[in-house]
Amino acid sequence: MDKKRNATIWTVIALLITLALGYLMVVNIGLPGGRPLTTLSPRGGKSQEIQNLIIPVFIIAGIVFVIVEVGLVWLSRRFRQTEEDVEGIGEPEQVHGNTRLEIGWTLVPALLLAVLAVFNVQTILGMDDAENPIEITVIGQQWWWEYRYDLDDNGTVDIITANEAAIPIGRDIAFKIQSNDVIHSFWIPALAGKMDAVPGRTHERVMDASEVGLFQGQCTEFCGLSHGVMRMQVKALEVADYDAWVERMTRVPDQPDASDTLAVEGQALFVTQCSTCHQVNGLDPNSTAPYTYSETPDPEYGKSVNITMASGNAPNLTHFMMRDYFVGGLLPLYEGMPEGDGRLEDLSEVQAIPSGTPDENNIKRWLRNPEDIKPMNPNNNQGMPNYNLSEQQIEQLTAYLLTLK
Ligand code: CUA
């Protein structure tokens, strides 16, 4: 009797500790602002479908866990050997080879898993369903993401941007995921599951956003030095705001105002120093080479200017200040934005055309020494080299970049 009571007390204690630890582990998950990369706070149809599968599976797994744990602790206390027990006496009844039990504990888990498998496969197959989707090509590179929009589906790319893709809410988006160098993995946990970006292949991942927001993502396939800080964002906008974004992104940006001397000097410097890798559409054609002039984004820009990058590509900076983040989605371009692993809690802050105060300091830090910000290997053509720009040149380039909106 004593043994039984002891076993029960021990079981209750073990169960309470386990539940308390489990609660502490999950309490913060899913809260906006709690964990920006949580999969348990869906903001779109596809991620909601995954959530609808996860919850019942976790409940069933939780019940199984509790039953097994309770049984384990209770049995090990109830039937443990005590000092009074001598060889063979006090030993519990042996059930080894009991056919009924063997069939029982084989059949029950097998049936359970079979039932879960049906819903699992159903959900997975549904992930590819898309109704009249907007197609956006995503290209993984060391260590940033490029997005290409062919808006009228005529084979010509209309928008090329980096790290931050804008989408309209309530519309299916088919991301066509590719890679320019090694294997990466595209993942916006609030909107959908992961999809690998594999060189030479195109993988599709469909997602839709049910509400406005700036949703953070992270590359989830090890891809070299800066894999851990290879971030990306999807900016989900009201349809009218998305249209405004598209209108702005397809426009050739104005030349810097002649009175803005710093910016004008910065543009000249950009042409000689930066345009070897970075395109700005419609850059003043009277400036000198080496860039190739184009009014529209040139998907082959990197190759046509013969850059030495391993990926043969660098971000198109035409509408640089239209993004909320730069440096592979890592650093905010505007003051007051959370770092690239933070989540915007006030969704009303999300704007089609950012209007905050630019974080010039972040831009200058990057220009001063890119390798200070994130690990790269420019000697091996991976990432941006340090051009040892003077403070004056950094001021000029920053002034020019700020005009790119
Ligand atoms: Cu790209 Cu990891």
Side-chain angles (χ1 to χ4, degrees):
M1 202 60 214
D2 217 26
K3 252 185 172 179
K4 256 189 185 168
R5 207 183 62 195
N6 264 340
T8 311
I9 292 170
W10 271 100
T11 310
V12 171
I13 292 173
L15 191 63
L16 288 177
I17 293 175
T18 312
L19 289 177
L21 288 176
Y23 176 73
L24 287 177
M25 269 165 63
V26 299
V27 61
N28 210 6
I29 295 176
L31 295 179
R35 300 278 181 273
L37 294 176
T38 179
T39 52
L40 299 178
S41 183
R43 304 301 170 91
K46 298 297 182 198
S47 50
Q48 188 61 52
E49 280 174 42
I50 298 175
Q51 177 89 336
N52 296 346
L53 179 68
I54 287 177
I55 299 295
V57 168
F58 261 87
I59 291 173
I60 293 169
I63 293 170
V64 170
F65 175 78
V66 170
I67 292 173
V68 170
E69 282 308 301
V70 166
L72 188 72
V73 177
W74 190 78
L75 288 170
S76 61
R77 296 302 303 183
R78 170 70 182 82
F79 295 107
R80 77 187 195 283
Q81 197 174 34
T82 62
E83 285 156 13
E84 300 107 66
D85 293 341
V86 283
E87 191 107 6
I89 295 172
E91 217 177 60
E93 190 197 333
Q94 301 298 299
V95 293
H96 177 78
N98 183 313
T99 314
R100 266 195 200 169
L101 280 177
E102 296 281 352
I103 290 175
W105 58 49
T106 307
L107 215 57
V108 171
L111 280 176
L112 210 56
L113 290 177
V115 171
L116 290 179
V118 172
F119 294 105
N120 235 313
V121 171
Q122 218 170 38
T123 306
I124 290 171
L125 293 179
M127 286 295 112
D128 294 333
D129 295 346
E131 208 177 299
N132 182 27
I134 296 177
E135 286 188 4
I136 303 175
T137 303
V138 184
I139 304 170
Q141 345 233 359
Q142 284 173 324
W143 292 271
W144 57 283
W145 297 90
E146 179 167 289
Y147 303 99
R148 295 179 177 181
Y149 293 66
D150 174 6
L151 298 163
D152 38 17
D153 212 14
N154 64 353
T156 313
V157 178
D158 303 298
I159 298 171
I160 297 183
T161 185
N163 304 315
E164 193 172 302
I167 63 169
I169 59 171
R171 177 91 186 262
D172 282 336
I173 314 292
F175 282 102
K176 304 280 187 182
I177 300 165
Q178 306 170 352
S179 169
N180 250 349
D181 37 45
V182 298
I183 301 178
H184 305 268
S185 191
F186 188 72
W187 183 47
I188 307 289
L191 301 182
K194 300 168 185 175
M195 183 56 81
D196 276 1
V198 179
R201 299 184 60 126
T202 300
H203 294 161
E204 188 175 291
R205 174 53 85 221
V206 177
M207 53 185 94
D208 64 285
S210 51
E211 53 186 276
V212 169
L214 185 62
F215 303 114
Q216 303 284 355
Q218 161 70 44
C219 176
T220 52
E221 183 70 50
F222 181 69
C223 55
L225 285 172
S226 267
H227 156 71
V229 289
M230 187 172 167
R231 304 264 157 75
M232 58 283 212
Q233 283 84 23
V234 166
K235 178 152 81 172
L237 300 165
E238 298 285 355
V239 176
D241 288 341
Y242 170 74
D243 292 342
W245 182 86
V246 166
E247 195 277 319
R248 178 64 73 95
M249 293 296 284
T250 44
R251 202 194 286 172
V252 175
D254 297 334
Q255 298 294 323
D257 202 285
S259 63
D260 190 349
T261 325
L262 267 185
V264 173
E265 290 165 353
Q267 187 188 43
L269 188 60
F270 185 93
V271 170
T272 53
Q273 289 273 5
C274 317
S275 70
T276 331
C277 295
H278 297 284
Q279 185 191 5
V280 167
N281 312 347
L283 192 63
D284 182 0
N286 295 320
S287 308
T288 46
Y291 75 94
T292 57
Y293 175 77
S294 168
E295 288 257 318
T296 50
D298 175 8
E300 298 295 315
Y301 185 82
K303 287 169 194 114
S304 51
V305 295
N306 254 328
I307 63 171
T308 49
M309 302 288 296
S311 59
N313 196 12
N316 180 308
L317 298 179
T318 305
H319 292 282
F320 181 64
M321 292 307 292
M322 282 287 284
R323 301 194 241 139
D324 297 270
Y325 289 88
F326 73 131
V327 186
L330 187 64
L331 289 185
L333 265 175
Y334 288 90
E335 285 175 8
M337 301 288 294
E339 293 273 318
D341 56 357
R343 188 176 199 149
L344 264 192
E345 287 180 57
D346 182 2
L347 296 178
S348 64
E349 286 176 30
V350 177
Q351 296 169 317
I353 297 162
S355 66
T357 311
D359 194 333
E360 291 185 32
N361 201 34
N362 273 348
I363 302 175
K364 289 174 187 168
R365 272 169 66 203
W366 173 250
L367 292 173
R368 209 166 278 133
N369 186 6
E371 277 180 274
D372 244 12
I373 311 280
K374 66 179 196 182
M376 294 179 293
N377 188 4
N379 292 334
N380 198 32
N381 304 322
Q382 296 163 303
M384 179 156 133
N386 181 353
Y387 285 101
N388 295 309
L389 300 164
S390 69
E391 283 304 307
Q392 168 74 1
Q393 290 175 314
I394 289 170
E395 292 288 337
Q396 294 165 337
L397 279 177
T398 305
Y400 174 56
L401 288 171
L402 290 179
T403 68
L404 298 175
K405 204 165 173 186

